[in-house]
Amino acid sequence: MIMAILDAIGLTDKLIRDLKAEGLKIPKAISPNRRAFKTPGEDWLYYAADLFTPQLSRKEIKRYINNPDLFCDDLINRLLFFSKVSDILYKAGIQIDNQLRDKEALVGYMIILYIFHVCGDENYYKYDRHLEYYEHEESPVGYYYKRLQEFCLTAAQRKNVENSDEWAAKTLLDIMASPLDERVGMPIEYLLACKDVHNRIVRVIGAFQNLSPDSLLERVKNLDKVLYQEVLRKSNIFFKHPNEFVADCVRGIEFDIEKEILRSKQKAREAYSEVDELLEGRDKNKFAKAVSAIHVFSLTQQKEGFIFGGITPSGNHLLDPFFLAYEKIKEIVNKNPEFVAIKHQEKMQSILEEGNPVLGARKLVQSGSRFLTTPIQKLYKEELSRWL
Amino acid sequence: MDNEEVTIKGIGASPGTAIGFVRLCEEPSDVAEKFEGDDILVTAMTDPKWTVYMKMAKAIVTNSGGVLCHAAIVARELNIPCVVGTLNATEVLKDGMRIKVDGLTGLIANLERK
């Protein structure tokens, strides 16, 4: 029996079976969904994130409209699973270099790139993209956003303001400024940001602690203009008590952030009350539910941002397997152009030199395996069949 | 913005107006090197790593995102005007350019062309 390529580096049949039991679904190929919604912003995002992403079913949409918290839970849980798969793929990926020859390594990296993308589509983008589809009423987020817009416009008309559209738009954004729930305090995002500042200042000052005050000031100025302004403002404590200076900077930022969050909470409460007073009957309850739902979606965005932008449990970054595989594929193909069928070499090169790695990798995942020579394609299909 | 030339239109994501200087930043660490005061952070998109640097900006402008993107949510919470989804702010706006950002209408004006 021939051992599958990635079996040799730890991606065993048993591991794949276990991942499938946890919900890993790998399609044979990906195809674009022309009815996909579009993420606002640059076009490459549409191709990279929207076009190949599986859609939420009608049943799922209904469930998430009824229960936005469930949407949050499902997004976070599936993202954590994606993070786990990403970790496994990265560990396998770094072993490829030492253990496989170029031909098998190319197949291995192509499979890693493919699994990474389709797993991300199914377990992350499928949910996450909806946080951007607020203009589409068919999305759970859009459903509530549209209702909020309508309630704000109704309130504007009843209030008889001069420019009702502008008033409604501003009021809507003000309502969305901060969760009305008193239990939601300063998000951990801000606390960690302060810790990050602390580390940065310690790093900058620590690197030059043996310098004379003038030289140190000059170095800080060249390295970090923001910190330099702080040093100038607090030079009396900076040179005498650097630790106190650091603590003072962090306290200052924490205080500023807390003050702004209190202000935004107040603003949100006032805007909410203003609209609520202008609504009647059952609309009041519907408005309250829509506001609560939008805040759940906002907090979901912040929670998932941490997991996606942070590190996986074993200390790797979620995107590590992606960058590793994409760069290695480029390296191997450049070194061994004969691995690509002659008629596809130009196309393959243009994909690899796309410039935007996210877009380039997505194109590679969509059609790159078809460009390989027949024997390598065969190896690719054999390995992929284990995952289907 | 009647007397000013509108350079870009995006999605107004956090109300308020601000005048300042464009600081094009690809990475959060660019902020530390570029911010001098009256800075307007212009970037492709943000994530939690940007949070503390967003606090230092007078306004935020991004290429991507909508009213529920990271930049929009944090900007509203920190009361900073923010325009998202401009598509090409990082290409059209140049470092040091003096601009006016309207976080409600999504309009960005170049104040140097008057």
Side-chain angles (χ1 to χ4, degrees):
Chain A
M1 184 184 153
I2 300 167
M3 200 181 211
I5 290 174
L6 294 178
D7 206 340
I9 49 166
L11 297 179
T12 61
D13 285 345
K14 181 183 179 313
L15 177 72
I16 296 171
R17 262 199 315 275
D18 291 346
L19 291 175
K20 283 180 186 174
E22 279 190 69
L24 181 71
K25 283 188 229 159
I26 303 297
K28 198 172 179 181
I30 55 170
S31 51
N33 172 9
R34 302 287 171 198
R35 291 170 59 208
F37 299 138
K38 186 179 182 303
T39 300
E42 296 156 292
D43 282 343
W44 65 267
L45 262 176
Y46 173 66
Y47 191 85
D50 304 315
L51 197 55
F52 298 95
T53 298
Q55 304 295 298
L56 288 177
S57 67
R58 282 185 184 185
K59 204 173 153 188
E60 284 171 316
I61 289 172
K62 201 174 165 191
R63 198 188 319 144
Y64 295 140
I65 286 174
N66 286 335
N67 189 348
D69 286 306
L70 196 61
F71 174 84
C72 175
D73 292 346
D74 284 354
L75 188 155
I76 299 300
N77 288 335
R78 293 324 296 171
L79 176 56
L80 287 170
F81 174 69
F82 174 42
S83 168
K84 176 180 167 178
V85 174
S86 162
D87 228 27
I88 292 169
L89 293 175
Y90 184 65
K91 281 180 194 156
I94 49 179
Q95 289 189 58
I96 287 181
D97 242 2
N98 302 328
Q99 300 195 25
L100 300 178
R101 290 170 304 162
D102 278 359
K103 194 195 290 180
E104 285 76 19
L106 176 61
V107 172
Y109 287 126
M110 290 286 282
I111 293 284
I112 284 177
L113 200 62
Y114 186 79
I115 305 294
F116 177 85
H117 271 81
V118 295
C119 183
D121 289 343
E122 175 73 32
N123 295 285
Y124 176 57
Y125 279 153
K126 177 178 172 181
Y127 304 92
D128 162 76
R129 287 299 89 193
H130 283 269
L131 296 170
E132 303 287 355
Y133 298 154
Y134 61 94
E135 285 186 326
H136 300 281
E137 214 179 338
E138 304 88 337
S139 156
V141 178
Y143 175 88
Y144 282 113
Y145 185 75
K146 176 85 178 160
R147 264 140 201 80
L148 272 187
Q149 275 183 320
E150 287 168 357
F151 285 129
C152 289
L153 205 54
T154 302
Q157 283 155 359
R158 289 185 183 157
K159 194 177 164 70
N160 213 8
V161 289
E162 200 177 315
N163 189 340
S164 55
D165 284 347
E166 194 175 304
W167 186 91
K170 182 175 183 309
T171 304
L172 174 55
L173 290 175
D174 284 346
I175 288 169
M176 289 166 65
S178 190
L180 298 173
D181 189 339
E182 291 298 337
R183 291 165 299 176
V184 180
M186 189 192 278
I188 190 163
E189 176 165 5
Y190 301 119
L191 299 174
L192 287 178
C194 291
K195 185 169 174 281
D196 186 52
V197 170
H198 175 271
N199 293 341
R200 182 171 59 87
I201 300 173
V202 169
R203 213 165 43 237
V204 171
I205 297 173
F208 307 119
Q209 58 189 350
N210 295 325
L211 297 174
S212 69
D214 284 349
S215 308
L216 174 56
L217 208 54
E218 192 57 29
R219 295 286 181 98
V220 173
K221 185 180 178 183
N222 291 335
L223 205 68
D224 191 325
K225 293 198 173 80
V226 177
L227 181 56
Y228 178 67
Q229 296 299 330
E230 282 297 298
V231 171
L232 290 185
R233 284 200 312 120
K234 298 169 186 164
S235 58
N236 55 333
I237 63 164
F238 175 72
F239 291 110
K240 287 181 192 161
H241 311 286
N243 288 339
E244 223 172 90
F245 168 80
V246 175
D248 200 50
C249 287
V250 173
R251 263 198 309 272
I253 292 167
E254 274 177 348
F255 178 74
D256 281 352
I257 289 177
E258 204 146 17
K259 198 175 65 187
E260 292 303 340
I261 289 178
L262 283 174
R263 270 180 59 189
S264 64
K265 270 192 188 300
Q266 180 62 22
K267 192 166 69 175
R269 266 196 296 268
E270 283 169 10
Y272 177 87
S273 301
E274 202 164 6
V275 175
D276 182 61
E277 279 167 18
L278 292 159
L279 297 176
E280 294 163 358
R282 287 169 62 188
D283 277 355
K284 284 178 181 286
N285 289 339
K286 287 180 185 172
F287 173 59
K289 186 168 183 192
V291 172
S292 162
I294 283 293
H295 286 142
V296 168
F297 295 133
S298 297
L299 287 170
T300 307
Q301 170 78 282
Q302 282 176 298
K303 279 185 192 170
E304 62 105 324
F306 263 112
I307 301 169
F308 191 80
I311 53 171
T312 63
S314 71
N316 301 316
H317 192 281
L318 188 75
L319 295 176
D320 281 350
F322 161 80
F323 286 112
L324 174 75
Y326 187 59
E327 288 306 317
K328 289 290 180 185
I329 290 167
K330 273 208 285 195
E331 200 180 300
I332 295 172
V333 168
N334 286 335
K335 191 172 142 199
N336 308 279
E338 70 278 9
F339 288 174
V340 179
I342 292 173
K343 63 177 177 180
H344 293 308
Q345 282 183 353
E346 204 176 316
K347 177 77 179 159
M348 187 69 154
Q349 270 310 319
S350 78
I351 287 177
L352 293 175
E353 286 161 18
E354 171 66 46
N356 180 332
V358 178
L359 189 52
R362 175 63 81 172
K363 288 182 178 172
L364 200 58
V365 164
Q366 194 204 354
S367 52
S369 65
R370 294 203 308 269
F371 298 160
L372 304 173
T373 57
T374 309
I376 301 180
Q377 265 194 57
K378 193 166 171 272
L379 282 176
Y380 178 88
K381 282 177 187 166
E382 274 172 11
E383 175 61 36
L384 184 63
S385 67
R386 291 200 306 145
W387 296 80
L388 304 178
Chain B
M1 293 200 176
D2 292 346
N3 299 319
E4 297 142 4
E5 185 175 338
V6 172
T7 310
I8 306 180
K9 168 106 175 71
I11 301 163
S14 178
T17 56
I19 292 174
F21 299 97
V22 170
R23 307 291 179 214
L24 290 170
C25 296
E26 280 182 28
E27 297 290 333
S29 57
D30 293 344
V31 173
E33 287 169 31
K34 290 188 170 186
F35 273 32
E36 293 178 19
D38 288 347
D39 311 290
I40 294 182
L41 172 63
V42 180
T43 188
M45 64 170 91
T46 68
D47 62 32
K49 291 194 291 292
W50 289 88
T51 307
V52 75
Y53 302 104
M54 291 166 73
K55 176 75 190 79
M56 296 167 188
K58 281 189 82 177
I60 297 159
V61 177
T62 68
N63 288 351
S64 299
V67 295
L68 274 166
C69 74
H70 177 265
I73 293 168
V74 172
R76 281 195 296 271
E77 241 165 8
L78 298 180
N79 292 298
I80 302 165
C82 177
V83 175
V84 297
T86 58
L87 303 178
N88 57 2
T90 55
E91 288 161 31
V92 176
L93 301 175
K94 305 294 173 205
D95 252 332
M97 192 185 257
R98 192 162 170 268
I99 59 169
K100 181 176 175 184
V101 177
D102 187 327
L104 178 62
T105 61
L107 298 176
I108 297 162
N110 178 1
L111 300 181
E112 290 177 350
R113 287 191 192 163
K114 278 176 76 179

